[in-house]
Amino acid sequence: RPAVAWEPQPGSYARAFGLFYGLRFPSNERTLKWVGPGWLTKAFRAAGTLGDNQEVSSITCIRSLGARGAAERLLLEVEYGSDAPG
């Protein structure tokens, strides 16, 4: 990927957009829980990680790895709604 010029964004979900896919980006655990599996599905599809026939059905575990820089680092475990390939 090409180098990305980055400028700090406010921590608000309404104003913090990701650099590569232009999606609003949850910057902490509380906001990630609020946007939930639907946001993860949209983000994974935008990145090409999930196909249109797949979805994140639930977030089963969120573990904070502490704040660092502009956002909290989180380790996630998720379940998928389909075993369909692609």
Side-chain angles (χ1 to χ4, degrees):
R1 291 185 185 229
V4 175
W6 181 82
E7 293 192 22
Q9 297 291 318
S12 169
Y13 176 72
R15 293 177 293 202
F17 288 86
L19 296 174
F20 292 110
Y21 304 109
L23 299 173
R24 290 181 181 158
F25 198 84
S27 60
N28 57 49
E29 181 177 350
R30 183 184 64 182
T31 308
L32 181 62
K33 287 178 179 178
W34 180 68
V35 297
W39 183 86
L40 285 173
T41 297
K42 184 176 180 179
F44 289 169
R45 286 179 180 167
T49 307
L50 285 180
D52 290 339
N53 59 337
Q54 297 172 311
E55 66 181 4
V56 176
S57 61
S58 66
I59 302 170
T60 58
C61 180
I62 301 176
R63 191 174 110 204
S64 177
L65 302 176
R68 189 131 186 172
E72 185 175 4
R73 296 178 302 155
L74 302 171
L75 180 64
L76 308 177
E77 290 183 28
V78 301
E79 290 183 346
Y80 298 94
S82 172
D83 290 332

